[in-house]
Amino acid sequence: IANIESKCYREMEIRTGLFPKIISTADGMALNDAWSKIRARALCSVPLWATYSEAAIGAAKVAKIMP
């Protein structure tokens, strides 16, 4: 799963020329140290814990700023 996530971010970079500066985790797995290490290795970046634990809050914030 971490490799698929990494491929998605790389594809975004190919299509837009931009790679996310910050990758946040909003799920329960954020508390799992082993999973966090796997993601960090696959993403070549340490994902941060999101301020809010519900992913829907992040989606709502993105929807709010979209035209």
Side-chain angles (χ1 to χ4, degrees), residues 34-59:
W35 173 242
S36 294
K37 287 178 182 177
I38 290 168
R39 282 186 75 212
R41 193 170 33 243
L43 298 172
C44 300
S45 172
V46 179
L48 304 173
W49 290 6
T51 304
Y52 301 100
S53 62
E54 294 296 325
I57 292 173

Side-chain angles (χ1 to χ4, degrees), residues 58-67:
K61 286 185 172 194
V62 169
K64 185 177 176 181
I65 63 171
M66 297 298 287

Side-chain angles (χ1 to χ4, degrees), residues 22-41:
I22 298 172
I23 299 173
S24 299
T25 301
D27 59 11
M29 291 302 286
L31 302 176
N32 184 309
D33 192 46
W35 173 242
S36 294
K37 287 178 182 177
I38 290 168
R39 282 186 75 212
R41 193 170 33 243

